[in-house]
Amino acid sequence: MAKSQENNHSSTITIIDVAREAGVSYGTVSRVMNDSPNVKSETRERVKEVITRMGFVGNRNARSLVSGRSNVIGLLIPDLGTAYIGEIIRGIDYELETAKYNLMLYTTHRRETKETGYISSLIQSGVDGVILILPRNPANYLDKLRSLKYPYVLVDHQGIDEQGPAVGATNFKGAFDATEYLISLGHKKIAFITGSMDLGCAQERLSGYKAALEKHNVSINQDWIIEGDFEQATGYVGAKVLISQSNKPTAIFASNDMMAFGVMNAVRDMGVKIPIDISIIGFDDIFQSSQTMPGLTTVHQPLEQMGRKATKMLVEMMSEGEIQSGKIELPTHLVIRDSCHKIEG
Amino acid sequence: MAKSQENNHSSTITIIDVAREAGVSYGTVSRVMNDSPNVKSETRERVKEVITRMGFVGNRNARSLVSGRSNVIGLLIPDLGTAYIGEIIRGIDYELETAKYNLMLYTTHRRETKETGYISSLIQSGVDGVILILPRNPANYLDKLRSLKYPYVLVDHQGIDEQGPAVGATNFKGAFDATEYLISLGHKKIAFITGSMDLGCAQERLSGYKAALEKHNVSINQDWIIEGDFEQATGYVGAKVLISQSNKPTAIFASNDMMAFGVMNAVRDMGVKIPIDISIIGFDDIFQSSQTMPGLTTVHQPLEQMGRKATKMLVEMMSEGEIQSGKIELPTHLVIRDSCHKIEG
DNA sequence: CTGAAAGCGCTAACAA
DNA sequence: TTGTTAGCGCTTTCAG
């Protein structure tokens, strides 16, 4: 006999108890639970009443076992604690709630090796689909996912090899717009601090910056392009380097807001006033950016929307059993606050 | 016949296929999978070889259904995107990995109503236990959890009604130490910005601050106690108010680091130098605090440790089937960086 | 040490 | 519209 090690905390009421109490067969109870149309409304009401009265909740494992669906999706992320990912997850959560899915979280903590391992684990877990945020080396397992027809969506990954479903933002255009805005303010000496250059989004932002400069015939000065890594500290250090130059820029464009915060701190520490002495612009528009003083002008990335869009795509794929393809880029837009200032030409 | 809607992406290999291939009964395969000692090592090897060769992975739902365990724990959090919670989760993740559990995430987004609903959902999901971080109104469902003998651990909740398992930090002592440190530096005019006062940790920090003042016969000035809410903005505003007073403090103790960042920004904007003109101290020691300039002196809260400890407690409870009780407070300690300065008495 | 077999709680065909 | 029933894939007794 099975079930010797009874799960002592799960409710022990089963569909059979409900059926007995309601005076119907347990198949009928199942129909009520699944909103099958083939139930007399009178019966349905009676069964529903019994269900609530007894506090019955269906056993998810049993349902999944027979239906082949778990109503759980997996979410693979590099790390938590960055506002950036938090906001994407907010969007995912939102959609998942309406679609009645739960979320299983897998954090790689930037250990690449874990990614591939997790994918096997995910599939094994009976998760119905997976969202991958900022994956490090998807090439290792994307083929597997595709060959299994396992639904997945990539978020914020601009790999060259990518043919599958993915959602990102218009990084190039966002950076282009920000740079153009600075130029419109009269700036010609515009410095740029890059993100981690192994990431597609960082590359695109750099390209956007350069393109805007070129369009307006502003020459690109390599001394004003500093390599950063999206962390606050490199923004700080980068700004110090920039400001120490004899030929210093009048504006600094940081590839993300965290680095822009570092820039702000550095600049302040050197006694340089924002935005009078120097203009600063960021990228992402995380919550904190509206809270700094002065408020950070930045490129808004629709993070929550990205999460929602990715989830919608995934839900659709899961119900249709087909892997869609094509990547989607959601529009960024400039949010003008108080960290940039007009310059006399 | 069931299974009309086949889960087209899950591997279709079952324990039976493995058994046939290995020339044993499928009960034996099951024993191998569960590391049962009653298998001849020769047989075990053969079966294992077949398992890896066929790439077989057990169906989790089937296993859970019969064993009554899911090897998944639920994590209920108010929000993401705060470094604070991210660091706790890192600890949880770490322990979960060694204990071979997966993590189901439920975010309430600070909507109180969702908490209670989630608890039912969690239990229904067949999750083996639950960790609640910073729960808003646990009174609503703690009784239910207890009566079901459902394993749970509270993290960072200092409710008065609490008898169940919980882990937190020494908030009182941390605040006491920080205040005493400021006093040892010669400060007598020490302001305090509180957290959300509906949270126990915020109350304890305030008490610790007051107690240190009293111990050293420094009178408490109500004008120097400002109510905040743990968000950066209230730190900014609070500092402005403080600095504008005719009788201004020489040090500001913010109840958490985010507010301390706000204080730093405000102070800088008013042309006041840190730490020469004013000393600033925070609480939490989130990652960002070591990145500001000057580095923020703060009370280190062992967030990752708290996550690990909570998880260990939960795992133990799940295996023993008993709810432990008693709360645990992990020690805080002062991290001295560069935001505080000696003052001439 | 191994095989046989009884279910775990439920969904979905099939009858009626 | 409802009842009946065959499994989903697996764990765990019970025999041997």
Side-chain angles (χ1 to χ4, degrees), chain A residues 4 24-26 28 31 38-40 43 65-66:
Chain A
S4 77
V24 293
S25 75
Y26 77 105
T28 299
R31 283 184 200 103
N38 305 320
V39 183
K40 210 201 307 179
T43 312
L65 179 57
V66 35

Side-chain angles (χ1 to χ4, degrees), chain A residues 55-70:
Chain A
F56 168 75
V57 279
N59 178 310
R60 202 189 275 270
N61 290 123
R63 302 180 76 171
S64 298
L65 179 57
V66 35
S67 69
R69 279 167 286 117
S70 64

Side-chain angles (χ1 to χ4, degrees), chain B residues 153-169:
Chain B
V153 180
L154 261 27
V155 175
D156 215 344
H157 172 74
Q158 289 81 24
I160 28 168
D161 62 340
E162 206 33 62
Q163 32 163 301
V167 6

Side-chain angles (χ1 to χ4, degrees), chain A residues 97-155:
Chain A
E97 193 174 346
T98 72
K100 305 274 182 225
Y101 274 83
N102 278 133
L103 195 163
M104 195 86 88
L105 185 73
Y106 298 84
T107 318
T108 62
H109 298 301
R110 303 196 188 284
R111 277 191 274 155
E112 288 200 4
T113 47
K114 288 180 86 175
E115 271 189 14
T116 309
Y118 272 148
I119 294 296
S120 308
S121 178
L122 273 160
I123 297 173
Q124 166 195 188
S125 312
V127 163
D128 292 338
V130 56
I131 293 178
L132 304 148
I133 299 184
L134 224 46
R136 270 331 233 217
N137 52 346
N140 293 2
Y141 49 77
L142 245 34
D143 286 342
K144 184 172 183 183
L145 252 22
R146 269 194 286 263
S147 69
L148 286 170
K149 301 191 84 176
Y150 196 91
Y152 71 92
V153 180
L154 262 26
V155 175

Side-chain angles (χ1 to χ4, degrees), chain B residues 1 4 25-26 28 31 38-40 43 65-66:
Chain B
M1 200 106 334
S4 77
S25 75
Y26 73 79
T28 299
R31 283 185 198 100
N38 305 321
V39 183
K40 212 202 307 182
T43 313
L65 180 58
V66 35

Side-chain angles (χ1 to χ4, degrees), chain A residues 183-255:
Chain A
I183 293 171
S184 79
L185 253 29
H187 291 277
K188 297 221 172 334
K189 300 178 172 185
I190 303 172
F192 187 84
I193 303 179
T194 77
S196 308
M197 290 304 285
D198 57 325
L199 260 24
C201 55
Q203 296 164 18
E204 292 182 9
R205 290 174 200 179
L206 177 58
S207 303
Y209 157 79
K210 287 182 174 171
L213 254 32
E214 276 166 14
K215 179 184 167 196
H216 293 277
N217 296 313
V218 178
S219 64
I220 295 171
N221 182 340
Q222 280 298 337
D223 292 340
W224 291 339
I225 298 179
I226 305 267
E227 182 156 349
D229 64 358
F230 284 137
E231 301 284 346
Q232 184 166 336
T234 56
Y236 187 89
V237 174
K240 287 253 167 165
V241 171
L242 255 10
I243 302 288
S244 312
Q245 294 178 11
S246 54
N247 182 19
K248 40 172 90 56
T250 60
I252 300 179
F253 180 6
S255 282

Side-chain angles (χ1 to χ4, degrees), chain B residues 179-239:
Chain B
T179 309
E180 203 164 44
Y181 168 68
L182 254 12
I183 293 171
S184 78
L185 253 31
H187 291 276
K188 296 221 175 330
K189 299 177 172 184
I190 303 171
F192 187 83
I193 302 179
T194 77
S196 309
M197 290 304 285
D198 57 324
L199 259 25
C201 56
Q203 295 163 18
E204 292 182 9
R205 290 175 200 179
L206 177 58
S207 303
Y209 157 78
K210 286 182 175 172
L213 254 31
E214 276 166 14
K215 179 185 167 195
H216 293 277
N217 296 312
V218 179
S219 64
I220 294 171
N221 182 338
Q222 280 299 335
D223 291 341
W224 292 339
I225 299 179
I226 305 266
E227 181 155 349
D229 64 358
F230 284 138
E231 300 285 347
Q232 186 165 337
T234 56
Y236 187 88
V237 174

